[in-house]
Amino acid sequence: MEVADIVAALGPDHPRFRARQIYEAVYRQRVTDLHRVSTLPKALRDEFPVGVPEVQRVFDSSDGTRRYLLQLADGKTIETVWMPEGERSTVCISTQAGCPVDCKFCLTALLGLERNLTAGEIVGQVLRVAADRGLEANVDRLNIVMMGQGEPLLNLSNVIKATRLLTDPEGMAISPRRITLSTSGIIPKIRELAREQVRPKLAISLNASTEEQRQTLMPITRKYHLRDLIDVCRAYPLRPWEKLTFEYVLLKGVNDTDADARRVAKLLANLNAKVNLIALNPGPGIPFETPAPERVAAFQAIVRRTLPCFVRKPRGLDVYAACGQLKRMELVELQ
Ligand code: SAH
Ligand code: SF4
């Protein structure tokens, strides 16, 4: 529900300007408890559900990454990851509880879909992390990546609403350049996203160099073909400062050969794009292995002849916080 609707629903005692006051407290000042907003009448402070997800548990990695298990109002839990890095830190947020897409290398897939998150729950993850880490609004700079649990484009309307909240100059004021959405490649939804005025940067999980290989690793792509994906990318309206990102999970002996690298380079050659390689982050029930660093480097060297190509450093691997590892793992299971 929108803040204004909730205030209206609380009855005629509360004038409408309270909605703006609450919006500013929550999104600009990042207050997670309205009791701290002294300008609001006590009755409203008691009644209003701010709805920022509660911390159920945290898991701290030796590299400084913190994985949060957050509880939503209906008791469902999701995961959010905080990755500090110098001046600018990154928050990885979920867009669904679980994920309906069944990529064979991803632990989140094993959860299945529980439900879509509301826009408030998507943004609430950033507010919760900011509160937990003591970040100051408009001082501490953040990157946001929609790469946690879920397929963002299967919850597009809430993801767009959340993006508007995150970028609102009157609210959290995070630049769209600092927000990235990653998708497994839901083609019609990429077209829809392209029509939005305010949208995150787009990253696409390629993960294979041929149609056949991609369909085996990501069965959803039997519906959304590689050829059409490249076409939609070619037509995508990039902003002047923007490049498409293609993510590629490297699986030992499966999609990590020199021939794969050459095919990836050829597929993407005519796009304004860069490639992020991710060596598999392993997990129980995932039937693949991580390639050796030399293999990753050799793959990168080949792609690099054609377009920019980087290797994504795994963060929070020891506490199941890295890409593809979000499955609410408890520490007892980790030992
Ligand atoms: N659902 C979206 C975003 C979340 S997944 C998507 O699939 O794009 C974020 C990234 O992690 C994707 O690029 C995905 O391919 C990658 N990934 C999934 N499982 C992985 C694993 N086990 N190891 C490394 N990367 C993985
Ligand atoms: Fe879902 Fe992304 Fe994992 Fe695929 S890789 S199952 S789309 S979270």
Side-chain angles (χ1 to χ4, degrees):
M1 226 187 336
E2 315 286 326
V3 175
D5 298 336
I6 298 175
V7 173
L10 291 175
D13 293 350
H14 302 298
R16 297 196 64 80
F17 71 84
R18 296 289 182 212
R20 172 121 303 258
Q21 235 182 329
I22 293 174
Y23 180 89
E24 294 212 339
V26 173
Y27 291 113
R28 199 211 279 264
Q29 291 147 31
R30 301 187 191 165
V31 170
T32 52
D33 177 1
L34 285 185
H35 288 103
R36 297 214 302 263
V37 186
S38 53
T39 49
L40 285 176
K42 180 151 183 328
L44 197 55
R45 281 186 258 165
D46 289 342
E47 274 178 279
F48 193 84
V50 172
V52 173
E54 294 296 335
V55 178
Q56 197 175 74
R57 290 200 59 176
V58 298
F59 302 91
D60 285 322
S61 164
S62 56
D63 70 12
T65 298
R66 171 170 275 199
R67 173 166 65 99
Y68 293 84
L69 187 64
L70 296 182
Q71 187 166 45
L72 307 173
D74 67 352
K76 291 238 179 304
T77 56
I78 50 166
E79 289 163 297
T80 305
V81 181
W82 157 253
M83 293 168 275
E85 178 112 65
E87 296 286 285
R88 198 175 266 285
S89 302
T90 301
V91 186
C92 174
I93 58 178
S94 296
T95 53
Q96 299 181 306
C99 184
V101 182
D102 52 354
C103 303
K104 299 302 176 199
F105 41 79
C106 176
L107 279 172
T108 312
L110 303 174
L111 295 173
L113 177 67
E114 292 171 5
R115 70 167 171 85
N116 280 337
L117 302 189
T118 65
E121 288 167 339
I122 296 171
V123 177
Q125 297 168 64
V126 181
L127 295 170
R128 175 52 68 203
V129 171
D132 179 69
R133 302 282 74 190
L135 305 184
E136 284 186 37
N138 306 322
V139 177
D140 293 298
R141 318 274 265 168
L142 286 179
N143 290 320
I144 310 289
V145 294
M146 297 178 177
M147 298 188 186
Q149 289 183 6
E151 166 48 60
L153 294 190
L154 293 179
N155 186 16
L156 183 56
S157 59
N158 289 328
V159 162
I160 290 297
K161 252 191 190 175
T163 306
R164 292 198 190 121
L165 286 169
L166 289 166
T167 55
D168 181 0
E170 301 292 310
M172 299 178 75
I174 298 172
S175 160
R177 295 180 190 219
R178 297 285 165 199
I179 308 177
T180 303
L181 173 163
S182 173
T183 176
S184 56
I186 315 290
I187 293 169
K189 297 290 177 181
I190 296 176
R191 287 200 194 96
E192 259 182 62
L193 181 68
R195 290 196 289 270
E196 288 296 328
Q197 277 297 313
V198 182
R199 58 187 140 89
K201 291 193 294 186
L202 182 60
I204 295 171
S205 299
L206 181 63
N207 295 339
S209 68
T210 68
E211 186 86 83
E212 195 191 358
Q213 196 184 53
R214 196 156 185 263
Q215 291 183 5
T216 312
L217 297 173
M218 305 170 72
I220 197 173
T221 66
R222 289 179 198 150
K223 209 154 117 199
Y224 305 117
H225 296 156
L226 191 50
R227 216 175 323 110
D228 300 333
L229 179 67
I230 301 299
D231 284 347
V232 86
C233 288
R234 199 167 289 125
Y236 196 78
L238 290 171
R239 290 155 286 193
W241 42 266
E242 190 176 10
K243 269 183 194 303
L244 286 170
T245 300
F246 286 88
E247 296 148 297
Y248 193 98
V249 182
L250 287 163
L251 311 170
K252 184 177 174 180
V254 175
N255 67 354
D256 67 343
T257 65
D258 287 355
D260 285 302
R262 283 192 293 270
R263 281 192 292 265
V264 167
K266 198 168 161 208
L267 261 176
L268 307 180
N270 296 318
L271 296 172
N272 183 5
K274 64 172 175 163
V275 176
N276 278 347
L277 301 175
I278 318 173
L280 176 80
N281 298 314
I286 299 300
F288 299 105
E289 288 173 62
T290 310
E294 303 76 57
R295 180 86 300 268
V296 176
F299 195 103
Q300 179 189 22
I302 295 172
V303 177
R304 234 187 203 165
R305 289 187 218 136
T306 310
L307 67 167
C309 179
F310 305 91
V311 178
R312 188 180 291 169
K313 191 172 71 178
R315 298 289 310 258
L317 208 51
D318 52 346
V319 291
Y320 279 86
C323 299
Q325 290 193 309
L326 299 183
K327 189 181 164 264
R328 308 185 185 122
M329 299 288 269
E330 292 290 332
L331 281 179
V332 276
E333 298 173 82
L334 303 181
Q335 283 156 6

